[in-house]
Short mmCIF file of all heavy atoms in Angstrom, two decimals:
data_model
loop_
_atom_site.label_atom_id
_atom_site.label_comp_id
_atom_site.label_asym_id
_atom_site.label_seq_id
_atom_site.Cartn_x
_atom_site.Cartn_y
_atom_site.Cartn_z
N ALA A 1 -9.90 15.22 -73.32
CA ALA A 1 -11.27 15.15 -72.83
C ALA A 1 -12.10 16.38 -73.16
O ALA A 1 -13.17 16.60 -72.59
CB ALA A 1 -11.26 14.97 -71.30
N TYR A 2 -11.64 17.22 -74.12
CA TYR A 2 -12.36 18.45 -74.46
C TYR A 2 -12.32 18.71 -75.97
O TYR A 2 -12.24 19.87 -76.42
CB TYR A 2 -11.73 19.64 -73.71
CG TYR A 2 -10.25 19.73 -73.89
CD1 TYR A 2 -9.69 20.47 -74.93
CD2 TYR A 2 -9.36 19.05 -73.04
CE1 TYR A 2 -8.32 20.54 -75.12
CE2 TYR A 2 -7.99 19.14 -73.22
CZ TYR A 2 -7.49 19.89 -74.26
OH TYR A 2 -6.12 19.95 -74.44
N SER A 3 -12.47 17.70 -76.77
CA SER A 3 -12.33 17.79 -78.22
C SER A 3 -13.65 18.24 -78.86
O SER A 3 -14.73 17.94 -78.35
CB SER A 3 -11.93 16.42 -78.77
OG SER A 3 -11.98 16.40 -80.18
N PRO A 4 -13.60 18.89 -80.03
CA PRO A 4 -14.84 19.19 -80.75
C PRO A 4 -15.47 17.98 -81.41
O PRO A 4 -16.64 18.00 -81.74
CB PRO A 4 -14.38 20.19 -81.82
CG PRO A 4 -12.92 19.97 -81.97
CD PRO A 4 -12.42 19.52 -80.63
N TRP A 5 -14.69 16.89 -81.61
CA TRP A 5 -15.24 15.66 -82.15
C TRP A 5 -14.81 14.48 -81.29
O TRP A 5 -13.83 14.56 -80.54
CB TRP A 5 -14.87 15.43 -83.61
CG TRP A 5 -13.42 15.09 -83.86
CD1 TRP A 5 -12.36 15.95 -83.93
CD2 TRP A 5 -12.88 13.79 -84.14
NE1 TRP A 5 -11.19 15.27 -84.20
CE2 TRP A 5 -11.46 13.93 -84.34
CE3 TRP A 5 -13.42 12.50 -84.21
CZ2 TRP A 5 -10.64 12.85 -84.62
CZ3 TRP A 5 -12.58 11.42 -84.51
CH2 TRP A 5 -11.21 11.60 -84.71
N GLU A 6 -15.55 13.39 -81.39
CA GLU A 6 -15.27 12.23 -80.57
C GLU A 6 -14.90 11.02 -81.43
O GLU A 6 -15.55 10.74 -82.46
CB GLU A 6 -16.48 11.86 -79.69
CG GLU A 6 -16.28 10.59 -78.90
CD GLU A 6 -16.65 10.74 -77.45
OE1 GLU A 6 -16.59 11.87 -76.92
OE2 GLU A 6 -17.02 9.73 -76.85
N GLY A 7 -13.86 10.33 -81.03
CA GLY A 7 -13.46 9.13 -81.72
C GLY A 7 -12.02 8.80 -81.38
O GLY A 7 -11.46 9.27 -80.41
N TYR A 8 -11.41 7.96 -82.23
CA TYR A 8 -10.06 7.53 -81.93
C TYR A 8 -9.34 7.08 -83.18
O TYR A 8 -9.96 6.71 -84.19
CB TYR A 8 -10.06 6.40 -80.89
CG TYR A 8 -11.01 5.26 -81.15
CD1 TYR A 8 -10.55 4.04 -81.66
CD2 TYR A 8 -12.36 5.38 -80.86
CE1 TYR A 8 -11.41 2.97 -81.87
CE2 TYR A 8 -13.24 4.34 -81.07
CZ TYR A 8 -12.76 3.11 -81.59
OH TYR A 8 -13.62 2.09 -81.80
N ARG A 9 -8.03 7.17 -83.12
CA ARG A 9 -7.14 6.68 -84.16
C ARG A 9 -6.13 5.77 -83.51
O ARG A 9 -5.51 6.15 -82.50
CB ARG A 9 -6.42 7.83 -84.86
CG ARG A 9 -7.31 8.88 -85.51
CD ARG A 9 -6.42 9.88 -86.22
NE ARG A 9 -7.18 10.95 -86.88
CZ ARG A 9 -7.37 12.17 -86.40
NH1 ARG A 9 -6.82 12.48 -85.24
NH2 ARG A 9 -8.05 13.08 -87.06
N VAL A 10 -5.93 4.59 -84.06
CA VAL A 10 -4.87 3.70 -83.55
C VAL A 10 -4.18 3.10 -84.75
O VAL A 10 -4.81 2.67 -85.71
CB VAL A 10 -5.47 2.62 -82.64
CG1 VAL A 10 -6.53 1.78 -83.30
CG2 VAL A 10 -4.34 1.73 -82.10
N MET A 11 -2.84 3.12 -84.71
CA MET A 11 -2.03 2.68 -85.83
C MET A 11 -0.97 1.71 -85.30
O MET A 11 -0.33 1.99 -84.27
CB MET A 11 -1.35 3.86 -86.51
CG MET A 11 -2.38 4.77 -87.21
SD MET A 11 -1.93 6.53 -87.21
CE MET A 11 -2.42 7.01 -85.59
N PHE A 12 -0.78 0.61 -85.99
CA PHE A 12 0.18 -0.41 -85.64
C PHE A 12 1.25 -0.48 -86.72
O PHE A 12 0.91 -0.65 -87.88
CB PHE A 12 -0.48 -1.77 -85.50
CG PHE A 12 -1.62 -1.82 -84.54
CD1 PHE A 12 -2.90 -1.48 -84.94
CD2 PHE A 12 -1.44 -2.27 -83.23
CE1 PHE A 12 -3.97 -1.53 -84.05
CE2 PHE A 12 -2.50 -2.33 -82.34
CZ PHE A 12 -3.77 -1.97 -82.75
N ASN A 13 2.50 -0.36 -86.34
CA ASN A 13 3.60 -0.53 -87.28
C ASN A 13 4.27 -1.87 -87.04
O ASN A 13 4.59 -2.23 -85.89
CB ASN A 13 4.65 0.59 -87.06
CG ASN A 13 4.09 1.94 -87.40
OD1 ASN A 13 3.58 2.15 -88.50
ND2 ASN A 13 4.19 2.90 -86.48
N GLY A 14 4.46 -2.62 -88.13
CA GLY A 14 5.04 -3.94 -88.00
C GLY A 14 6.11 -4.22 -89.03
O GLY A 14 6.39 -3.38 -89.91
N SER A 15 6.73 -5.37 -88.90
CA SER A 15 7.83 -5.73 -89.78
C SER A 15 7.37 -5.99 -91.20
O SER A 15 8.20 -6.02 -92.13
CB SER A 15 8.54 -6.99 -89.24
OG SER A 15 7.62 -8.08 -89.18
N ALA A 16 6.05 -6.16 -91.40
CA ALA A 16 5.53 -6.42 -92.76
C ALA A 16 4.51 -5.37 -93.24
O ALA A 16 3.87 -5.55 -94.25
CB ALA A 16 4.87 -7.80 -92.81
N GLY A 17 4.38 -4.26 -92.48
CA GLY A 17 3.43 -3.24 -92.90
C GLY A 17 2.83 -2.47 -91.73
O GLY A 17 3.37 -2.47 -90.63
N ARG A 18 1.66 -1.90 -91.99
CA ARG A 18 1.03 -1.01 -91.03
C ARG A 18 -0.49 -1.23 -91.08
O ARG A 18 -1.05 -1.42 -92.17
CB ARG A 18 1.39 0.43 -91.38
CG ARG A 18 0.75 1.53 -90.54
CD ARG A 18 1.29 2.88 -91.04
NE ARG A 18 0.58 4.03 -90.48
CZ ARG A 18 1.00 4.76 -89.45
NH1 ARG A 18 2.12 4.44 -88.85
NH2 ARG A 18 0.30 5.80 -89.04
N LEU A 19 -1.13 -1.19 -89.91
CA LEU A 19 -2.58 -1.29 -89.83
C LEU A 19 -3.10 -0.02 -89.16
O LEU A 19 -2.62 0.37 -88.10
CB LEU A 19 -2.97 -2.53 -89.00
CG LEU A 19 -4.48 -2.85 -88.92
CD1 LEU A 19 -5.03 -3.22 -90.30
CD2 LEU A 19 -4.72 -3.98 -87.93
N GLU A 20 -4.11 0.63 -89.79
CA GLU A 20 -4.61 1.92 -89.32
C GLU A 20 -6.12 1.84 -89.12
O GLU A 20 -6.86 1.44 -90.02
CB GLU A 20 -4.32 3.01 -90.35
CG GLU A 20 -2.83 3.17 -90.65
CD GLU A 20 -2.57 4.14 -91.80
OE1 GLU A 20 -3.54 4.49 -92.52
OE2 GLU A 20 -1.41 4.54 -91.96
N LEU A 21 -6.56 2.24 -87.94
CA LEU A 21 -7.98 2.31 -87.64
C LEU A 21 -8.34 3.71 -87.23
O LEU A 21 -7.67 4.32 -86.40
CB LEU A 21 -8.34 1.35 -86.49
CG LEU A 21 -9.77 1.44 -85.93
CD1 LEU A 21 -10.79 1.01 -86.98
CD2 LEU A 21 -9.92 0.58 -84.65
N GLU A 22 -9.43 4.25 -87.86
CA GLU A 22 -9.96 5.55 -87.44
C GLU A 22 -11.47 5.41 -87.27
O GLU A 22 -12.14 4.90 -88.16
CB GLU A 22 -9.64 6.64 -88.45
CG GLU A 22 -10.21 8.01 -88.02
CD GLU A 22 -9.80 9.14 -88.93
OE1 GLU A 22 -10.43 9.32 -89.98
OE2 GLU A 22 -8.84 9.86 -88.56
N VAL A 23 -11.98 5.86 -86.14
CA VAL A 23 -13.39 5.78 -85.85
C VAL A 23 -13.89 7.18 -85.45
O VAL A 23 -13.34 7.79 -84.52
CB VAL A 23 -13.69 4.80 -84.70
CG1 VAL A 23 -15.18 4.77 -84.39
CG2 VAL A 23 -13.21 3.39 -85.08
N GLU A 24 -14.90 7.68 -86.15
CA GLU A 24 -15.54 8.96 -85.80
C GLU A 24 -16.88 8.64 -85.15
O GLU A 24 -17.86 8.33 -85.81
CB GLU A 24 -15.77 9.80 -87.04
CG GLU A 24 -14.54 10.44 -87.63
CD GLU A 24 -14.87 11.34 -88.79
OE1 GLU A 24 -15.60 10.89 -89.71
OE2 GLU A 24 -14.43 12.50 -88.79
N GLU A 25 -16.94 8.71 -83.83
CA GLU A 25 -18.19 8.44 -83.13
C GLU A 25 -19.12 9.66 -83.19
O GLU A 25 -20.33 9.52 -83.11
CB GLU A 25 -17.90 8.02 -81.70
CG GLU A 25 -17.16 6.70 -81.63
CD GLU A 25 -16.96 6.20 -80.21
OE1 GLU A 25 -17.02 7.04 -79.28
OE2 GLU A 25 -16.68 5.02 -80.02
N SER A 26 -18.54 10.84 -83.26
CA SER A 26 -19.31 12.07 -83.40
C SER A 26 -18.42 13.10 -84.09
O SER A 26 -17.34 13.41 -83.58
CB SER A 26 -19.75 12.60 -82.02
OG SER A 26 -20.26 13.92 -82.14
N ARG A 27 -18.86 13.61 -85.22
CA ARG A 27 -18.03 14.54 -85.98
C ARG A 27 -18.06 15.95 -85.36
O ARG A 27 -17.12 16.71 -85.53
CB ARG A 27 -18.49 14.59 -87.44
CG ARG A 27 -18.36 13.23 -88.15
CD ARG A 27 -18.81 13.28 -89.60
NE ARG A 27 -17.88 14.11 -90.38
CZ ARG A 27 -18.25 15.23 -90.99
NH1 ARG A 27 -19.49 15.68 -90.90
NH2 ARG A 27 -17.38 15.93 -91.69
N TRP A 28 -19.14 16.30 -84.66
CA TRP A 28 -19.23 17.57 -83.92
C TRP A 28 -20.45 17.49 -83.01
O TRP A 28 -21.29 16.60 -83.16
CB TRP A 28 -19.32 18.76 -84.87
CG TRP A 28 -20.59 18.86 -85.66
CD1 TRP A 28 -20.92 18.14 -86.78
CD2 TRP A 28 -21.69 19.73 -85.39
NE1 TRP A 28 -22.17 18.50 -87.22
CE2 TRP A 28 -22.69 19.46 -86.39
CE3 TRP A 28 -21.98 20.69 -84.42
CZ2 TRP A 28 -23.90 20.14 -86.45
CZ3 TRP A 28 -23.19 21.36 -84.47
CH2 TRP A 28 -24.12 21.09 -85.47
N GLN A 29 -20.54 18.43 -82.10
CA GLN A 29 -21.66 18.47 -81.16
C GLN A 29 -22.31 19.84 -81.18
O GLN A 29 -21.66 20.87 -81.20
CB GLN A 29 -21.20 18.18 -79.74
CG GLN A 29 -20.86 16.69 -79.48
CD GLN A 29 -22.08 15.81 -79.46
OE1 GLN A 29 -23.20 16.28 -79.47
NE2 GLN A 29 -21.84 14.51 -79.46
N ALA A 30 -23.66 19.81 -81.17
CA ALA A 30 -24.42 21.07 -81.01
C ALA A 30 -24.28 21.55 -79.59
O ALA A 30 -24.01 20.79 -78.68
CB ALA A 30 -25.89 20.81 -81.33
N PRO A 31 -24.40 22.87 -79.35
CA PRO A 31 -24.10 23.42 -78.02
C PRO A 31 -25.03 23.00 -76.92
O PRO A 31 -24.61 22.97 -75.75
CB PRO A 31 -24.12 24.95 -78.24
CG PRO A 31 -24.92 25.12 -79.48
CD PRO A 31 -24.65 23.94 -80.32
N LEU A 32 -26.28 22.71 -77.21
CA LEU A 32 -27.21 22.32 -76.15
C LEU A 32 -27.36 20.80 -76.13
O LEU A 32 -27.66 20.19 -77.13
CB LEU A 32 -28.57 23.00 -76.33
CG LEU A 32 -28.56 24.51 -76.18
CD1 LEU A 32 -29.97 25.07 -76.35
CD2 LEU A 32 -28.00 24.92 -74.83
N THR A 33 -27.12 20.22 -74.96
CA THR A 33 -27.17 18.76 -74.81
C THR A 33 -28.58 18.25 -74.98
O THR A 33 -29.51 18.70 -74.31
CB THR A 33 -26.65 18.34 -73.43
OG1 THR A 33 -25.31 18.79 -73.31
CG2 THR A 33 -26.73 16.85 -73.23
N ARG A 34 -28.76 17.33 -75.93
CA ARG A 34 -30.08 16.68 -76.14
C ARG A 34 -29.91 15.19 -75.89
O ARG A 34 -29.09 14.54 -76.57
CB ARG A 34 -30.56 16.95 -77.56
CG ARG A 34 -31.97 16.43 -77.84
CD ARG A 34 -32.40 16.87 -79.22
NE ARG A 34 -31.60 16.28 -80.26
CZ ARG A 34 -31.86 15.09 -80.84
NH1 ARG A 34 -32.90 14.38 -80.45
NH2 ARG A 34 -31.09 14.62 -81.80
N ILE A 35 -30.66 14.64 -74.96
CA ILE A 35 -30.51 13.22 -74.60
C ILE A 35 -31.58 12.43 -75.36
O ILE A 35 -32.79 12.70 -75.27
CB ILE A 35 -30.67 13.02 -73.09
CG1 ILE A 35 -29.57 13.80 -72.38
CG2 ILE A 35 -30.60 11.54 -72.73
CD1 ILE A 35 -29.72 13.86 -70.87
N THR A 36 -31.16 11.45 -76.14
CA THR A 36 -32.08 10.63 -76.92
C THR A 36 -32.16 9.19 -76.41
O THR A 36 -33.01 8.46 -76.84
CB THR A 36 -31.65 10.60 -78.40
OG1 THR A 36 -30.30 10.10 -78.50
CG2 THR A 36 -31.68 11.99 -79.00
N SER A 37 -31.29 8.83 -75.48
CA SER A 37 -31.29 7.46 -74.97
C SER A 37 -32.38 7.28 -73.93
O SER A 37 -32.57 8.13 -73.06
CB SER A 37 -29.92 7.13 -74.34
OG SER A 37 -29.99 5.95 -73.59
N ALA A 38 -33.08 6.14 -73.99
CA ALA A 38 -34.11 5.84 -72.98
C ALA A 38 -33.51 5.64 -71.61
O ALA A 38 -34.21 5.80 -70.58
CB ALA A 38 -34.90 4.61 -73.39
N SER A 39 -32.22 5.32 -71.56
CA SER A 39 -31.57 5.10 -70.26
C SER A 39 -30.96 6.38 -69.70
O SER A 39 -30.32 6.35 -68.64
CB SER A 39 -30.46 4.04 -70.40
OG SER A 39 -29.39 4.55 -71.14
N GLY A 40 -31.11 7.50 -70.38
CA GLY A 40 -30.55 8.75 -69.90
C GLY A 40 -29.08 8.92 -70.17
O GLY A 40 -28.41 9.79 -69.57
#
């Protein structure tokens, strides 16, 4: 819960191969929080 970047990696190993997913939702964050969503 304290990473410099946000996202996830999930990998499935199977009897016929492997499936790999990587998602980078945010590669890094600037130090001051800036809210751009209309919903806050």
